[in-house]
Amino acid sequence: MDLKEIIAHLLKENFPGVNVELIEYKNELTLRVEKQHIVKVCKFLKENADLQFTLCEDITAIDWAKRKNRFTVVYHIFSLKSKNRLAVKVDVDESDCSIDSVASVWKTANWHERETYDMYGIKFSNHPDLRRMYMPEEFEYYPLRKDFPVMGIPGSLPLPKK
Amino acid sequence: MGLEAKLTDDGFFTTKLDAIIEWSRKYSVWPMPMGISCCAIEMMAAGDPKYDIARFGSEVMRFTPRQCDLMIVAGTVTYKMSHVVRKIYDQMPDPKWVIAMGACTSSGGMYRSYNVVQGIDQFLPVDIYLAGCPPRPDNLLNALIQIQDKIGKTRAKDFQDIKLPELTVLQSN
Amino acid sequence: MERLTKDDVHPKILEALLDADTDITVDDALENEMILNMGPQHPATHGVLRLLLRLDGETVVACVPELGYLHRGYEKMAENMSYYEFIPHTDRLDYLSPMANNVAWVLAVEKLAGIEAPPRAQYIRMMVSELARIASHLVAIGALAMDVGALTVFLWTLREREKILDIWDILCGARFTNSYTRIGGVANDIQPEALAKVKWFINQYEENLDECERLLNTNRIFVERLDGVGVISAKDAIDYGLTGPSLRGSGVELDLRRATPYLFYNEMDFKVVTYPEGDSLSRYFVRADETRESIKIIRQVLDKMPQGDTLLNQPKKVLPKKTEIYSRMEELIHDFMIVNFGINPPAGDVYSAVENPKGELGFYFVSQGEGRPWKCKIRSPSFVNLQALPHLVKGQMVSDVVAIIGSIDPVMGEADK
Ligand code: SF4
């Protein structure tokens, strides 16, 4: 059985009511889940003895600008046991721009989520320390949103006096 | 006529105060390496055995601004960093000089983006703009020589209109 | 280190610092805990990293790193330029190993576009990324030694690094912002002089490394300042997402060159170096040993390197050679199209990661079938490795902090992006 079937099988068995979708593209496996299930699915993927996705490599978001669900949060996780990579995708709508934090599953998620919050303004509930990662705390915009200009908003960041 | 000969002969020599101050200042420029990003690596390379900045009397890189008279700003200055750079500049004692090393510090360089200051001359007085991304160490040495030239041309009267902070004299009874 | 005023520290940072849960208690604690600011202008923080340390006497009780002093907006810029245009920007990510970043970028783009470079180009890429690894580790070792007070080694390792920079100089005309790779190959074939220089370099390198190691490994001050300092267990290291030498220093055998082979690493014979202790000293040992393995890989690459093209012949995706652009109509048109509209890879998303000197460097692209990426995420190793810093310095002395930073070897260019 390849990884796709194993994951599909295991998730079906353990989470009967949860809609999951597995897509394969260019040898990369993507798992789509719904927003409310993200923490328990991640916890399962990490702790299941067959899967062991113990290394969380990256968390980021995609801004689709005009689509119905404006943002997609993407988690890249890696299994040290089978040396496989899995992308987990969750859609987030702009009207309710928040998602549960997975910092309790992987400690490394802490900074990744802070970065995503800084760049996209997606709030991670139950996050231990949700602050801006790069931009000054007073900055009001979210730079990686598609409606933010590359050169920024003049006057939004102060310079020291000459 | 070496200085030593003069000194062993007469035991003294006469010169203008300006000249001797300039001369000593010129060949012992102490840089403040404001290394921020990639250019800092080339600045580091200028100190290594191959390029050897010590030949020009400037190997004493001091990491505390109080002891320096030349600030080499090497690397991309972001808005967040600009306040720090300015603060450190303000801590350096006068007279002081600034080299803007690399395209980033001179003009923002390849970063046309929301968080990069498009040229540090927006908040710092710059003496030498050094082109290149990064400038080669030889180029930095060239800039140093030019700074030395510039120092050689300054006179004490150039500093007349620098206002010193007023001293408060404590009165004791 | 300077005195802090209220305006210097944002209340939220302070709050995080005071909230940071800590189980460190000191027997005869001074009455007052102290908050110490370190950076962003500090010789030992390897760039513009700022740390706020909560001290009890000299013991670090908690630490909050503050990033963003070098945030240049790479991901935003990448969305506004074509895949070719971004190659020079990858040089400035981890500016101690630009070549390795170049290779990582083009591998990711090639995966997205579904093309593959000719074998000779891939061998050259392998060679340059191993040389870049040596150069980067040399600076890491030298800077670590300097941080704990051994300046000589720093000058010696820089001298070795200069030799590699000389190779770059011949190979692509720049000392360290190389931009040498191209989508579908490399910019030019490797010149005989450069090849000769590489051969000369690998033959004399190990002797010089031995010399440096003799200075360090038998130096009591160096060893005792690192031994048992900044320990992280294998489980914690994985949990914090560490990669690269920092992870292998904790005994976890993860090397993407082995785990998910790219280029021709599966044909190479090399050892994945691990040390079990998880302290600063073992991270230093991993780096030193890894450079030897790199030399071994370069030897094999030189042996096996096939003849042939160094650039793929695929006019819609790969820039044609300059000489052809000037003499032939069709190439001129392709060049015009690629430069102005980009290579338009098919819609979809890929994540591609390689083993960089600092750890796993990954690029995540979302393409909408246009010349520019819709989204480009850079997963930089330094950013993630830095996250373990509060864990590593907790309970250590304040003077160990610099040694620990040196041992995880962050480069702020890629940590802040
Ligand atoms: S000028 Fe170039 S090398 Fe220097 S800091 Fe800027 S990007 Fe880096």
Side-chain angles (χ1 to χ4, degrees):
Chain A
M1 251 196 317
D2 69 349
L3 187 72
K4 188 176 172 183
E5 287 161 27
I6 299 176
I7 295 179
H9 176 74
L10 280 173
L11 286 178
K12 202 163 202 175
E13 209 166 72
N14 288 282
F15 304 101
V18 177
N19 277 335
V20 292
E21 194 188 336
L22 274 162
I23 310 148
E24 200 166 354
Y25 178 71
K26 300 214 175 189
N27 291 331
E28 282 183 20
L29 204 54
T30 304
L31 172 72
R32 276 187 171 278
V33 288
E34 282 157 351
K35 192 164 119 178
Q36 62 270 31
H37 306 302
I38 180 69
V39 178
K40 63 180 181 197
V41 170
C42 284
K43 206 172 170 69
F44 176 77
L45 289 173
K46 183 188 171 188
E47 284 166 8
N48 184 286
D50 292 337
L51 301 174
Q52 293 193 14
F53 284 97
T54 41
L55 184 67
C56 173
E57 290 181 318
D58 188 26
I59 296 173
T60 185
I62 309 167
D63 179 2
W64 295 109
K66 293 218 171 76
R67 287 198 195 163
K68 186 167 142 279
N69 284 320
R70 180 167 172 185
F71 300 104
T72 302
V73 181
V74 190
Y75 305 75
H76 284 106
I77 53 181
F78 188 81
S79 163
L80 286 180
K81 185 173 165 243
S82 60
K83 312 275 192 257
N84 278 313
R85 192 170 281 128
L86 177 72
V88 181
K89 288 189 185 167
V90 185
D91 285 336
V92 176
D93 191 33
E94 201 184 359
S95 59
D96 174 22
C97 208
S98 71
I99 183 171
D100 283 337
S101 160
V102 293
S104 56
V105 184
W106 298 284
K107 279 197 191 128
T108 178
N110 186 332
W111 278 23
H112 288 304
E113 288 180 346
R114 269 178 69 191
E115 187 193 348
T116 312
Y117 163 69
D118 188 3
M119 292 290 134
Y120 289 95
I122 299 172
K123 297 223 166 48
F124 289 85
S125 9
N126 304 329
H127 189 279
D129 174 27
L130 197 62
R131 282 182 292 128
R132 281 188 170 262
M133 190 79 235
Y134 298 132
M135 305 304 287
E137 208 63 56
E138 296 80 19
F139 192 63
E140 319 159 19
Y141 307 95
Y142 301 109
L144 277 185
R145 287 195 175 187
K146 287 284 174 188
D147 46 15
F148 186 84
V150 200
M151 283 308 286
I153 302 200
S156 59
L157 288 161
L159 269 177
K161 276 196 215 68
K162 196 163 180 171
Chain B
M1 182 212 76
L3 204 56
E4 293 86 356
K6 193 87 179 145
L7 281 174
T8 40
D9 263 11
D10 310 338
F12 73 96
F13 67 94
T14 48
T15 177
K16 282 193 289 182
L17 186 61
D18 260 353
I20 190 84
I21 291 180
E22 251 159 46
W23 172 81
S24 52
R25 221 177 236 156
K26 198 167 148 181
Y27 295 114
S28 60
V29 180
W30 284 19
M32 156 86 220
M34 191 71 223
I36 303 172
S37 62
C38 0
C39 275
I41 308 294
E42 284 300 67
M43 184 170 62
M44 224 165 73
D48 80 2
K50 186 168 166 192
Y51 293 96
D52 199 8
I53 203 170
R55 293 176 294 160
F56 303 91
S58 292
E59 80 279 19
V60 206
M61 302 249 180
R62 291 285 122 169
F63 291 94
T64 156
R66 299 290 189 207
Q67 303 175 350
C68 303
D69 46 8
L70 167 69
M71 185 166 175
I72 306 177
V73 187
T76 325
V77 180
T78 61
Y79 282 95
K80 204 169 169 182
M81 193 66 198
S82 62
H83 299 269
V84 181
V85 176
R86 180 71 211 195
K87 197 168 173 185
I88 289 173
Y89 178 77
D90 287 342
Q91 288 179 42
M92 282 165 53
D94 272 316
K96 51 195 171 187
W97 290 269
V98 176
I99 294 180
M101 181 178 180
C104 281
T105 43
S106 309
S107 68
M110 59 204 293
Y111 301 103
R112 307 279 300 156
S113 88
Y114 54 91
N115 205 21
V116 175
V117 181
Q118 306 291 312
I120 58 164
D121 45 10
Q122 291 178 33
F123 65 94
L124 268 190
V126 177
D127 292 292
I128 303 265
Y129 296 91
L130 188 49
C133 182
R136 297 174 72 101
D138 352 19
N139 214 344
L140 178 63
L141 297 181
N142 183 21
L144 185 66
I145 294 170
Q146 291 194 29
I147 284 278
Q148 289 178 344
D149 281 353
K150 194 165 176 178
I151 296 175
K153 291 196 192 103
T154 42
R155 298 284 176 270
K157 69 174 170 21
D158 296 345
F159 299 111
Q160 267 168 5
D161 36 286
I162 288 185
K163 280 203 196 71
L164 293 173
E166 249 174 56
L167 290 179
T168 2
V169 182
L170 293 176
Q171 301 276 337
S172 62
N173 303 336
Chain C
M1 297 181 201
E2 56 188 66
R3 192 132 42 88
L4 283 185
T5 60
K6 271 258 166 53
D7 317 333
D8 291 337
V9 188
H10 194 275
K12 278 200 181 168
I13 303 175
L14 218 52
E15 208 178 290
L17 191 63
L18 297 174
D19 278 357
D21 70 304
T22 179
D23 43 13
I24 307 292
T25 44
V26 185
D27 278 348
D28 63 338
L30 290 179
E31 225 170 40
N32 300 321
E33 287 194 343
M34 184 170 99
I35 288 178
L36 185 73
N37 180 47
M38 197 169 152
Q41 206 284 320
H42 187 275
T45 50
H46 294 242
V48 285
L49 170 66
R50 181 185 185 193
L51 299 177
L52 283 148
L53 303 166
R54 192 167 127 213
L55 303 177
D56 191 341
E58 262 197 74
T59 315
V60 180
V61 178
C63 158
V64 171
E66 163 78 354
L67 276 76
Y69 287 95
L70 193 52
H71 177 63
R72 298 183 272 199
Y74 269 126
E75 290 171 7
K76 189 80 181 174
M77 280 193 291
E79 285 171 15
N80 290 285
M81 50 177 63
S82 71
Y83 295 93
Y84 265 109
E85 274 176 283
F86 197 77
I87 294 178
H89 282 280
T90 58
D91 291 338
R92 280 106 181 142
L93 277 173
D94 171 1
Y95 37 76
L96 289 176
S97 59
M99 276 291 196
N101 304 344
N102 292 163
V103 174
W105 176 264
V106 293
L107 281 176
V109 177
E110 282 169 10
K111 185 170 176 187
L112 182 69
I115 54 178
E116 201 170 297
R120 186 174 172 84
Q122 301 211 29
Y123 272 96
I124 294 179
R125 283 177 187 180
M126 225 158 29
M127 187 185 85
V128 294
S129 42
E130 288 313 314
L131 281 173
R133 191 181 316 277
I134 298 175
S136 167
H137 282 349
L138 280 174
V139 178
I141 294 171
L144 173 66
M146 187 170 69
D147 286 348
V148 298
L151 188 63
T152 316
V153 181
F154 180 67
L155 294 176
W156 286 9
T157 53
L158 269 197
R159 182 193 64 197
E160 287 305 299
R161 179 174 176 267
E162 277 298 328
K163 293 173 188 165
I164 298 180
L165 295 193
D166 284 346
I167 297 173
W168 296 159
D169 224 350
I170 306 173
L171 190 60
C172 57
R175 268 165 58 83
F176 82 92
T177 41
N178 315 104
S179 308
Y180 172 62
T181 55
R182 295 287 179 274
I183 296 163
V186 291
N188 50 276
D189 199 352
I190 182 164
Q191 301 88 340
E193 307 90 58
L195 209 56
K197 195 123 197 194
V198 174
K199 281 184 187 140
W200 169 78
F201 175 78
I202 56 175
N203 284 335
Q204 53 90 54
Y205 172 74
E206 274 161 301
E207 202 179 309
N208 284 317
L209 183 68
D210 285 343
E211 215 172 29
C212 294
E213 282 193 325
R214 263 205 302 282
L215 263 192
L216 293 177
N217 297 356
T218 53
N219 180 338
R220 249 184 93 179
I221 302 175
F222 179 79
V223 171
E224 288 192 2
R225 283 207 59 184
L226 298 180
D227 195 9
V229 167
V231 184
I232 187 162
S233 69
K235 187 170 166 295
D236 279 341
I238 295 171
D239 213 15
Y240 275 110
L242 296 190
T243 44
S246 311
L247 181 64
R248 292 192 284 276
S250 293
V252 183
E253 199 178 324
L254 175 67
D255 189 324
L256 292 185
R257 290 175 290 172
R258 253 301 141 64
T260 57
Y262 51 97
L263 297 173
F264 285 114
Y265 278 116
N266 48 357
E267 292 175 13
M268 296 290 136
D269 164 39
F270 66 99
K271 202 171 106 229
V272 178
V273 185
T274 56
Y275 276 81
E277 288 86 4
D279 57 359
S280 304
L281 192 63
S282 59
R283 289 191 278 276
Y284 150 73
F285 281 143
V286 170
R287 290 211 174 83
D289 287 2
E290 245 173 40
T291 58
R292 290 180 207 279
E293 295 300 317
S294 295
I295 292 283
K296 219 158 93 186
I297 296 177
I298 297 172
R299 285 227 166 83
Q300 296 169 48
V301 168
L302 290 180
D303 279 351
K304 290 189 183 167
M305 195 185 289
Q307 293 300 323
D309 275 343
T310 52
L311 207 55
L312 192 66
N313 184 12
Q314 244 228 38
K316 288 260 181 317
K317 302 264 189 265
V318 179
L319 272 182
K321 292 207 177 71
K322 263 280 175 300
T323 45
E324 287 168 6
I325 297 169
Y326 290 140
S327 54
R328 291 159 70 168
M329 194 63 209
E330 213 165 308
E331 267 74 16
L332 181 65
I333 294 171
H334 286 312
D335 182 75
F336 179 81
M337 294 303 279
I338 290 180
V339 169
N340 283 287
F341 302 104
I343 58 169
N344 302 343
D349 57 344
V350 295
Y351 179 86
S352 152
V354 303
E355 184 75 26
N356 246 33
K358 311 274 184 305
E360 171 185 340
L361 175 67
F363 290 106
Y364 175 59
F365 292 128
V366 177
S367 161
Q368 303 256 55
E370 293 163 356
R372 300 163 175 188
W374 179 258
K375 146 115 200 147
C376 159
K377 161 83 195 193
I378 303 161
R379 188 262 186 220
S380 57
S382 299
F383 173 72
V384 189
N385 291 356
L386 265 181
Q387 192 176 174
L389 195 62
H391 178 90
L392 290 170
V393 300
K394 205 155 87 177
Q396 304 287 344
M397 294 289 147
V398 68
S399 56
D400 293 336
V401 174
V402 284
I404 294 172
I405 297 172
S407 79
I408 58 174
D409 186 27
V411 166
M412 296 317 285
E414 65 174 358
D416 283 351
K417 286 179 282 212

